[in-house]
Structure formats: C-alpha cells, structure tokens
Amino acid sequence: VALCGSYVAIQAELEVLVLKLEATTERTATEEPSESLKCADFPEDQGDFLLVPKHQELLGDRAKDCDIPVNVEQTGLEDGRHYTAFYVLFRRFTPEFFQGCSVEEMQLHSLQLYPMFTSKQSVSVDEPACMFCFFSLPTAGHLYSLRGGVEHLSAYQYPEKVLQAVLTDHLLQVITKNALQSFTVRCAAVAARVEDPYIDTTMKACPPCSLEVCALRMQLFIGLRSVCAYGRHVILLSSADTETPEETERHTQRRGLELKEHNMLTGIFLAVGIDPATTPALESLLSRPFLSKRWAISSPKETRAVGHGWNLYVVDTVPPLTLYQEMVEYSQRYAENNPQGLSLRHLLGEAHLLLRSCLLESSERQQGGEGARKMAAQMHREELEEAFRQNCAQLGDSFSRGSQKDCHLALPYYRMSRLSVTEVMSRNRPLPGCPHSYGPGFLFYLKHYLLEETDQILCQEDADEVTSIFSQSEPSMLVSVCASPCMMNVDPAATLQMLQHLEDTSGVSVALTITMATMMLRLGNMARYTELMERHAEMLLVYGFIEEPRLLLHGGGGDKHTEVCPTALARQLADSQPGLLVAGMVALHENSKVQLEQADHIFKELGCENTLQVDLWEAMLMASSQDAVIQELLFRLASVYIDRLTASESPTKHKSLKSADDLISSCSHYGALYPWLTVLNPVQISSYQHWEALHKLQSLLCGPSLSVGSVAPLLESLSEETLWGFSLHLLCATRRGHYGRSIEQLLDRCPQAIIAYANHQLQDKHMALWWQKLLPELCNRTRAAAHNSILLGALKETLVVVAMETSPTEFLELIPDDGTASYFLPHLLTCSQRHLLA
C-alpha cells in the first residue's frame, strides 16, 4: 500500500488500484463485500493450475467497474468526519511468459505515489498541485498522473529484468541485478501545465507529456537487492552471495522435472492430433513451467550460518546543471550531424523538462529558506533561469528551421528565451549553400513580432534586413511589414523599390498603393504622394485601411485599454483629406479594428477634439448598429451642440463635414424639424456654427433615439430668454408629454406658433386637448385681450377643429356662459350640419 495526501494505492501480484478519500459531513452507507469476493484462493481441484487474468485498464470513474469492493470503516477518531472512497485507477496485467521471467517473477513491484508542488503554492498545503502513481513489472514500468483527470504519461521498457525502481523529481532510478539505470520522467511537463493552463500558446511552450522517455545513465554493481532515494542521493543495498553446490544440485533436479513435464504435455497434444513442433508459439509456451505451481516454485533456501555480507552504497546523482551541460554538449554533436533530426529536438526537450523540474524545486527551497540559505537558493535559481533561457533559444533554433508542422513552436520558445529580434535574426541567417532560404519557424516568429504592437523599434540596418527577408521569402507580406510600428526607421527609398517590384509582379492593390504613398510622404515627395492617393476612389481607400489598419494608427484592436497613436499618414490626412480620415476611422470601428475611446484618443493626438472628432461621432452614428454605442454617441453629440450654443468664445473656422440637412436626410437618429419650430427659430443668428448646432440639437430632440431624460440636465444651462432657447425647453417638455404646460408657455411666449404646435402635437389620443385645454385657454386670454388679432385668429382656427371633431351636444357644453354665445353659434351650426350629414 502507498499513501500520499488523500490518495491510497494498493498493489497485488498483477493488479494496482488507486483510491481517493474525500471527507464528508454525512454518514455514507457501507457495503459488505460479497462472499464470493472475500476468498482469494482457488478451489482445491484447481490448485495445480494458474488462471491467467485478462489485461485491463480502467481510468477515472470507470475504475469502479473493477469488481473489487472497498469499504471505509469508522474508527471513532475522525472528528465527526466521514470519508468516501472514490475509484481513480485500476490496472491489471497479464503475465508475459516470453520475457525470460518465470510466473513468480512476473509480479508488480515499486508502487509509489509521488506529489509535486508548483511555484505558486506552498508545500504546507494539504493537496499538492500534481499527484503521480508509479508501479513496475520486471520488464516495464508505468507512470500515471492522477489529478485533473487520470492520464497514462509514460511506459518504460527495460532492456533487462528490473528488481526495484524509485521515482524522483528529475529521474526514475531502477536497479537490475548488476546495474543502476536512470530514466527520464515527465512529471515536470504535467506540473508546468497545471501551473499555467495557457502554457501551450504563442507566448509560452513546454514539451508534451507524451514525449518518449529515454535512459540517461547506467552504473555497474554486483548483486543489487534494493534501492531508495533521498534528495540527490540514491542508496543501494547489494549482496554478493554465490550459489552453494546444494543449490546447483536442486536446480538440476528442477530442470529434470521441467523436462519431464514438457515431455508429458507434448505427449498429450500428440494424442489429440496436435504436433507442437509445427507451431513455434506452442512449442515456446510448453518450454515454460507455468502450468504447475508445485513444480515452478522453488523450495525455500536454508539459512546458512555464514554469508558473504552486504554492501551499502550512497550514490550522489549528477547535479541537474551538470547534467544539463552534458546534454548541451551532446546536442552540439547532434546538430553537427543533423540539425533537423528528431534526436536533437528530443534531447533539447529532455533538458527543458529537467530545468523545469529544478525551477519548481528551487521555488520550494526559496519559500522555506532563510538568510544565507535563501541567498544561495536565489543564486542557484538565477543560474537555472539563465540555463533555461539558453535552452529555450536552442529549442527555438530547432523549430525555426524545422518542418511546417511544428514551426509555430519557434515563436513561444524564442519569446521565453528573451532574445531580441536582432539576436534571433543573427541566429537564423541563411546557410552559405542556400542564400535565400529562411526556415518557416523563423518567418512565423518574425511575422508575429511585426504584427503585434511592441515598443521595440528596429534600427535602420535591422529594419532593412527584415524587408529584404520578406521580399525574398514572402513578398505578399511587405505591406504588413512596412505598416508595423517596429519598422519606422526603414529606408523609404529602398523599400519603395521593393514595393514597386511587388506591384509590377503581383498587380495593383489599394493597400499597396497607400503603402507606397506613405513612403513618398516620408521622402517628402508630395506631388507623387498626391498622385498615388488619387489613383483610387475614396471608398476604395477606406477598404485599404480596413485591410491594413496600421496604415492609419498603431495599436488598437479589441482591447480598449491598448494605447494607440496616429501615423504620419493620418496626420497628413487630417490636414488634406479630413473626410477620408473620418471615413477610415468609422470603417475601422465598425470592423472592430479600433474602439470608440481609442478613436477619440487619435483625434485628440491630432489636435481635432472639437472639430473632426465631432464629425467622427456624427459619421459613426450614421453607421453604427450597436445600441450601446448609439446612446453614447447621442449623448456626446447633444453635449457638444449645447456647448457650442453656450460658448462665449469666437467660433472656429472649421466647417462640419455634414450639415444639419445632410444628417436629417441620411441618418435615422436625426428627425425632421417639427413645423412649429420654424416660427420659433430666429432668422438671423450670430454665426453659421451656432445655427448648425441649434438645428442639429433640435433634430436630435425631434428624432426617435435620443433619451430626453439624459440630456434634460444639460439643457438647464440654456437660458429661456432667447426664443431658440425656449424652443429647446419646449421640445423637451413636449417629448415628456407635458402638453398642457407647453400650451400655456407657448401662448405666453409665442402665440403665433400655437396652431402649428397643436396641428402637429395634438393628434390621435391627444386630440381632446384641443377643447379640454387649448379652447378654454384661448377663451380666457381673448376675453382679457379682445383686440389681440393673433389670439382671435388662433381661437377661430381652434373652433374650426373643435366643430369638426365633436358632436353638437359636446360643442354646446363647451360654449362659455358669459354672454358671448353668439360668437360660437356659426361654429355650432357647422357642427350640427356635419353631424346630420354623417
């Protein structure tokens, strides 16, 4: 039995069962094992025969189907906790009689549960990050990972019969009768993935857990019997006893019995018509004494009075860094013979996992050490990290020139090595025999380096080398390469020649034309720049920006927190073609190439906060279909329009790209101005910008999308003394449904607009307000000002509508009883005639 944490492993002759105990607060019902399973012996009449079990492997929940009952007994010392046993792993082996071992020797040994902690957890925690189970047969060993899903990691095939094995962080140590052998283990690969679930990405990498194991060392001894490990030491126990003449005679007698048994069984097969000599497998099977237990089992040796003694060895294993240096030396020999060989990559992978396990171990030491020990552990860790970076660089070199299948792994290994792009380029220059041959892994690394935003800007020499590499290997990538912020120092004249050659061979493309124009801009050739930009229509140029956004900005993408900055081309467009710049930014936003906040930052960097930035918002509002973005833009634009109406400083000379009429006709969020607003709007206003801001704000308030409640607090800063200011407040009150108060305010401030207001607003379900609110108000006001022609005209218009919409009885009830009924009688007559006709 092996115990570790909450795991229990049980080993029989040819079976291994691993359980996990979990504490619960509720008592679980226990099951008594069935009587048929309690007895492990065979019936008497079958005692001479060995029943061969069927090979079986059950992982995880399936292990409970192994038909081995396990019960948890309560001892009364559990502090009220109850434990439940969960099956984790079951493995049953079939004896392999053709491996040079007898039946009795084909038994499992060296069962071991091995925990492993990561650098993110302390060894004091109850559960380790990883748990491994190892067990071995004389001819093969097996390593399983138990946490996070049971997985068979490695199978060890021994070159000769193994007596015992012990698992450590770095190696598996096994002993045969005359040798100590060391094999590699895959525990570090599992621990690395548990520590960082995102390790197999473009940022990090680790050799797979399925990497084939190999033997690293062998040391000869005589008569080894037992092995155990402590830290970096392997303790061996050996005995050099030799056989006595009595044992030799006993073995001779045993061989005679085996021969007799062989002859007897051969006769039986011949009697039933089977000739074992014609079947090699059957002949080989009969050569093994496995059918009779009594004949196969040797009699116990007698205790001798005098022995040859025992030897105890303490072997110091090679320090990991020393072993790593040896691996590096071997890898250099491999590289000389076959730089792309699998053996070289395998050896570098072994070295990588060795260093990973050492780094995990050094993390534990740093957590537990103090003072000088902690400083020593820190220095040791720094050496390990330097070796680790060196190994990552070697793996990057291996994958950079490797096959297309694994070339992508060059990128994470080069990143983990912390080499600069210049250093990586120097390690991947073409061989003398192939001057234009670059490995696919190196090109993959270089493309990702250039496509991802980075603060590292290449010097001119390196930037020119990069363009030369891609012009030879992948000319189609030149546009993306030139648009990278890393390439700001590239020679524009030399790059133009490459781009012109690409255009001559591949044809004209919009993104290529814009890239050439950018190089002309850097050279200061404005005439040629203008000619290139005028080669395509504005909409096609926008498509070019969508294809390569970095022509306009550096940064961006899906993360709104990524810093962005405008390119030299964007600065030029802000001055010469602002409409194209705005259209390009809108297209990038709609294609998720840039976020709204990042676009704002671009225009602030360009110094266009209150000019082109507002044009951008208006254009985005026309194009966007995202409700959250629409509401944000509506609020921003309403705020800007209000600020422009209240601004005391002189207006700018900038003319908006879209006028109010343009927005009303092309954007559904801008509504047509209500007819009664034409009466309230002033004919003469201080400036064109002021007039545009007023009409755009009124149009937003007339539209269906702007939430009045969100902008009402902003409108409080607008005075109602001016007629246009009053119109905005009246619009808000009307949108909120305050028609009664709006009628009163309009009669007070501008009665000539009341009929236009009523004709537009008092319709359908609000029609009753004509005679419930407007008619009484007009009657009261004309009674006080009988000579007011505006009020009298409004009253007549109101009576015409009331006579058309009410019955004679209802109209009669509306006539005031102050002696002015004669004024209403003609309208009452009209109402009656209409009613009779109906």
Side-chain angles (χ1 to χ4, degrees):
V1 176
L3 306 173
C4 187
S6 58
Y7 290 87
V8 180
I10 307 152
Q11 171 188 289
E13 290 184 355
L14 290 171
E15 294 176 339
V16 170
L17 176 64
V18 181
L19 307 166
K20 184 177 183 182
L21 297 179
E22 291 189 2
T24 59
T25 56
E26 298 180 0
R27 181 183 297 273
T28 56
T30 58
E31 298 180 0
E32 291 296 329
S34 62
E35 292 297 327
S36 62
L37 294 172
K38 286 183 178 179
C39 181
D41 296 328
F42 294 109
E44 284 297 327
D45 57 348
Q46 297 181 4
D48 291 341
F49 297 95
L50 176 66
L51 298 182
V52 180
K54 180 182 178 182
H55 179 83
Q56 194 173 22
E57 180 186 50
L58 301 174
L59 306 180
D61 293 337
R62 292 184 58 206
K64 64 179 180 292
D65 299 330
C66 65
D67 296 330
I68 297 179
V70 176
N71 300 313
V72 180
E73 286 191 6
Q74 303 296 325
T75 64
L77 303 176
E78 291 85 6
D79 274 339
R81 291 178 296 176
H82 301 277
Y83 290 87
T84 304
F86 293 92
Y87 289 78
V88 175
L89 165 68
F90 176 74
R91 186 77 188 263
R92 176 188 290 141
F93 294 90
T94 299
E96 299 174 0
F97 302 115
F98 310 105
Q99 298 294 327
C101 303
S102 65
V103 178
E104 292 72 28
E105 293 173 327
M106 290 303 299
Q107 294 183 1
L108 290 166
H109 61 76
S110 305
L111 177 66
Q112 186 177 356
L113 287 174
Y114 193 80
M116 203 165 189
F117 294 83
T118 66
S119 59
K120 295 182 179 180
Q121 63 174 158
S122 170
V123 293
S124 61
V125 298
D126 294 335
E127 288 289 340
C130 306
M131 181 67 72
F132 303 95
C133 180
F134 174 82
F135 48 85
S136 182
L137 290 163
T139 57
H142 297 273
L143 179 64
Y144 284 84
S145 174
L146 302 181
R147 293 207 67 183
V150 185
E151 180 183 2
H152 185 223
L153 291 182
S154 306
Y156 296 86
Q157 299 297 327
Y158 307 131
E160 55 182 316
K161 185 176 69 174
V162 166
L163 305 178
Q164 194 177 353
V166 59
L167 183 68
T168 66
D169 277 350
H170 311 109
L171 300 171
L172 173 68
Q173 308 284 359
V174 305
I175 57 169
T176 64
K177 188 175 181 180
N178 296 312
L180 167 68
Q181 300 178 9
S182 302
F183 292 83
T184 56
V185 293
R186 299 288 165 260
C187 299
V190 177
R193 287 169 172 82
V194 170
E195 185 178 31
D196 186 359
Y198 302 100
I199 196 167
D200 296 310
T201 62
T202 59
M203 298 300 295
K204 302 175 185 177
C206 180
C209 303
S210 59
L211 187 67
E212 187 177 351
V213 296
C214 63
L216 291 183
R217 286 179 175 273
M218 182 179 71
Q219 290 177 266
L220 298 178
F221 292 88
I222 298 176
L224 289 179
R225 299 297 181 86
S226 181
V227 61
C228 66
Y230 178 78
R232 298 286 170 78
H233 309 292
V234 178
I235 297 92
L236 303 172
L237 189 62
S238 71
S239 173
D241 288 350
T242 59
E243 285 189 344
T244 62
E246 292 80 7
E247 291 174 340
T248 304
E249 181 181 356
R250 188 182 302 117
H251 289 173
T252 303
Q253 294 174 356
R254 177 179 175 181
R255 282 194 293 271
L257 289 174
E258 292 173 356
L259 179 60
K260 181 180 178 180
E261 172 71 9
H262 179 271
N263 294 334
M264 181 181 68
L265 292 176
T266 303
I268 293 173
F269 279 110
L270 290 173
V272 296
I274 301 175
D275 186 3
T278 61
T279 308
L282 187 57
E283 178 67 23
S284 177
L285 182 67
L286 293 178
S287 66
R288 301 296 177 185
F290 66 91
L291 293 177
S292 174
K293 284 189 174 181
R294 290 194 298 269
W295 297 335
I297 300 176
S298 304
S299 59
K301 297 181 181 180
E302 298 178 0
T303 305
R304 293 184 299 276
V306 179
H308 291 274
W310 296 84
N311 296 318
L312 183 68
Y313 300 95
V314 178
V315 181
D316 291 341
T317 57
V318 178
L321 278 174
T322 304
L323 184 58
Y324 167 74
Q325 293 299 334
E326 293 182 6
M327 291 180 171
V328 171
E329 293 177 7
Y330 276 112
S331 68
Q332 292 171 351
R333 298 179 188 176
Y334 279 125
E336 292 175 358
N337 298 327
N338 186 4
Q340 303 308 318
L342 294 178
S343 299
L344 170 61
R345 193 172 298 170
H346 192 152
L347 183 59
L348 294 176
E350 294 287 3
H352 187 92
L353 293 178
L354 175 67
L355 292 174
R356 274 197 180 275
S357 64
C358 293
L359 287 170
L360 290 175
E361 185 182 31
S362 68
S363 299
E364 297 177 10
R365 289 183 178 179
Q366 280 186 290
Q367 290 177 0
E370 293 182 0
R373 290 179 58 189
K374 193 169 185 178
M375 290 182 61
Q378 177 64 28
M379 293 179 61
H380 179 64
R381 183 173 180 83
E382 291 175 358
E383 293 179 1
L384 289 174
E385 289 176 346
E386 178 59 33
F388 184 78
R389 289 191 291 269
Q390 176 188 352
N391 172 260
C392 290
Q394 293 170 334
L395 279 168
D397 294 341
S398 174
F399 286 109
S400 67
R401 299 182 186 274
S403 63
Q404 196 73 33
K405 177 182 177 182
D406 299 322
C407 67
H408 63 281
L409 292 174
L411 175 62
Y413 280 117
Y414 273 141
R415 279 177 167 163
M416 293 161 64
S417 71
R418 300 183 186 177
L419 293 175
S420 66
V421 66
T422 305
E423 293 170 324
V424 174
M425 288 167 57
S426 67
R427 300 170 74 103
N428 284 273
R429 288 195 169 91
L431 301 175
C434 305
H436 302 299
S437 175
Y438 293 93
F442 169 64
L443 293 176
F444 184 83
Y445 161 80
L446 204 54
K447 280 187 282 189
H448 270 263
Y449 176 85
L450 296 172
L451 289 174
E452 295 175 2
E453 304 300 330
T454 176
D455 296 333
Q456 184 179 358
I457 300 176
L458 299 179
C459 65
Q460 181 177 342
E461 181 181 357
D462 291 336
D464 292 342
E465 183 178 356
V466 169
T467 54
S468 175
I469 289 172
F470 280 98
S471 67
Q472 298 169 16
S473 302
E474 292 189 45
S476 60
M477 288 292 299
L478 273 176
V479 171
S480 297
V481 169
C482 294
S484 173
C486 312
M487 304 289 289
M488 294 178 63
N489 294 326
V490 72
D491 182 8
T495 305
L496 264 173
Q497 294 180 358
M498 299 178 191
L499 294 173
Q500 186 63 55
H501 178 71
L502 176 62
E503 186 179 70
D504 295 340
T505 56
S506 302
V508 178
S509 72
V510 178
L512 178 58
T513 300
I514 299 174
T515 306
M516 296 174 66
T518 302
M519 294 300 162
M520 286 296 179
L521 184 64
R522 292 179 57 179
L523 288 172
N525 191 342
M526 298 307 297
R528 181 62 177 153
Y529 161 81
T530 304
E531 180 184 343
L532 287 169
M533 291 299 289
E534 291 177 351
R535 180 187 290 181
H536 303 287
E538 183 174 293
M539 185 52 64
L540 291 179
L541 294 175
V542 170
Y543 288 142
F545 293 137
I546 296 175
E547 181 181 347
E548 185 47 73
R550 293 180 302 170
L551 292 170
L552 278 184
L553 56 93
H554 291 154
D559 187 2
K560 65 181 180 180
H561 301 293
T562 304
E563 293 186 2
V564 293
C565 61
T567 62
L569 178 62
R571 297 182 184 278
Q572 175 63 29
L573 292 179
D575 296 330
S576 60
Q577 293 176 277
L580 176 58
L581 176 61
V582 169
M585 294 301 296
V586 171
L588 294 183
H589 178 267
E590 290 306 301
N591 286 273
S592 302
K593 306 289 187 181
V594 68
Q595 300 296 313
L596 180 58
E597 293 80 3
Q598 294 171 334
D600 291 340
H601 181 73
I602 290 292
F603 283 93
K604 288 179 181 177
E605 287 285 319
L606 295 172
C608 308
E609 294 96 326
N610 200 33
T611 53
L612 283 181
Q613 186 178 17
V614 180
D615 295 329
L616 172 72
W617 293 344
E618 292 174 347
M620 281 186 176
L621 190 60
M622 296 171 61
S624 181
S625 59
Q626 305 175 36
D627 186 64
V629 175
I630 290 172
Q631 292 303 320
E632 174 69 19
L633 291 172
L634 287 170
F635 181 79
R636 290 186 180 188
L637 288 170
S639 303
V640 168
Y641 299 151
I642 292 173
D643 289 340
R644 288 180 176 178
L645 289 172
T646 56
S648 56
E649 65 273 6
S650 58
T652 62
K653 297 180 180 179
H654 172 77
K655 185 177 181 180
S656 299
L657 297 177
K658 294 288 185 180
S659 66
D661 294 335
D662 295 334
L663 293 174
I664 291 172
S665 61
S666 59
C667 182
S668 61
H669 305 292
Y670 286 85
L673 297 181
Y674 297 158
W676 51 271
L677 285 173
T678 57
V679 183
L680 298 179
N681 285 338
V683 179
Q684 299 293 333
I685 203 165
S686 57
S687 67
Y688 171 80
Q689 286 83 359
H690 193 280
W691 184 87
E692 277 287 325
L694 174 62
H695 279 209
K696 289 179 179 179
L697 182 57
Q698 288 177 338
S699 178
L700 280 183
L701 290 171
C702 294
S705 305
L706 180 64
S707 173
V708 178
S710 63
V711 298
L714 302 177
L715 288 173
E716 294 178 358
S717 60
L718 291 176
S719 173
E720 293 189 38
E721 294 180 359
T722 60
L723 202 57
W724 59 264
F726 168 70
S727 70
L728 294 172
H729 285 279
L730 190 64
L731 266 174
C732 280
T734 301
R735 283 282 306 275
R736 287 181 161 184
H738 302 159
Y739 294 105
R741 191 177 68 181
S742 299
I743 291 172
E744 295 176 3
Q745 292 178 336
L746 197 55
L747 288 172
D748 290 337
R749 293 290 302 272
C750 189
Q752 59 268 32
I754 189 62
I755 296 302
Y757 178 88
N759 282 328
H760 186 266
Q761 304 295 155
L762 305 184
Q763 299 295 326
D764 300 327
K765 62 180 180 179
H766 304 296
M767 181 65 72
L769 291 175
W770 279 90
W771 52 87
Q772 292 177 0
K773 181 63 179 179
L774 182 56
L775 181 60
E777 284 288 338
L778 287 173
C779 289
N780 294 334
R781 292 173 185 270
T782 53
R783 186 180 297 113
H787 303 290
N788 191 324
S789 60
I790 297 175
L791 291 176
L792 286 172
L795 180 59
K796 289 180 180 180
E797 292 288 341
T798 303
L799 287 173
V800 170
V801 174
V802 172
M804 292 293 295
E805 298 294 334
T806 60
S807 65
T809 305
E810 293 172 335
F811 191 90
L812 189 61
E813 293 178 354
L814 296 174
I815 297 176
D817 55 355
D818 57 352
T820 58
S822 58
Y823 182 82
F824 298 92
L825 287 179
H827 298 284
L828 178 60
L829 178 61
T830 302
C831 179
S832 300
Q833 291 173 346
R834 180 192 60 80
H835 186 70
L836 288 174
L837 290 174

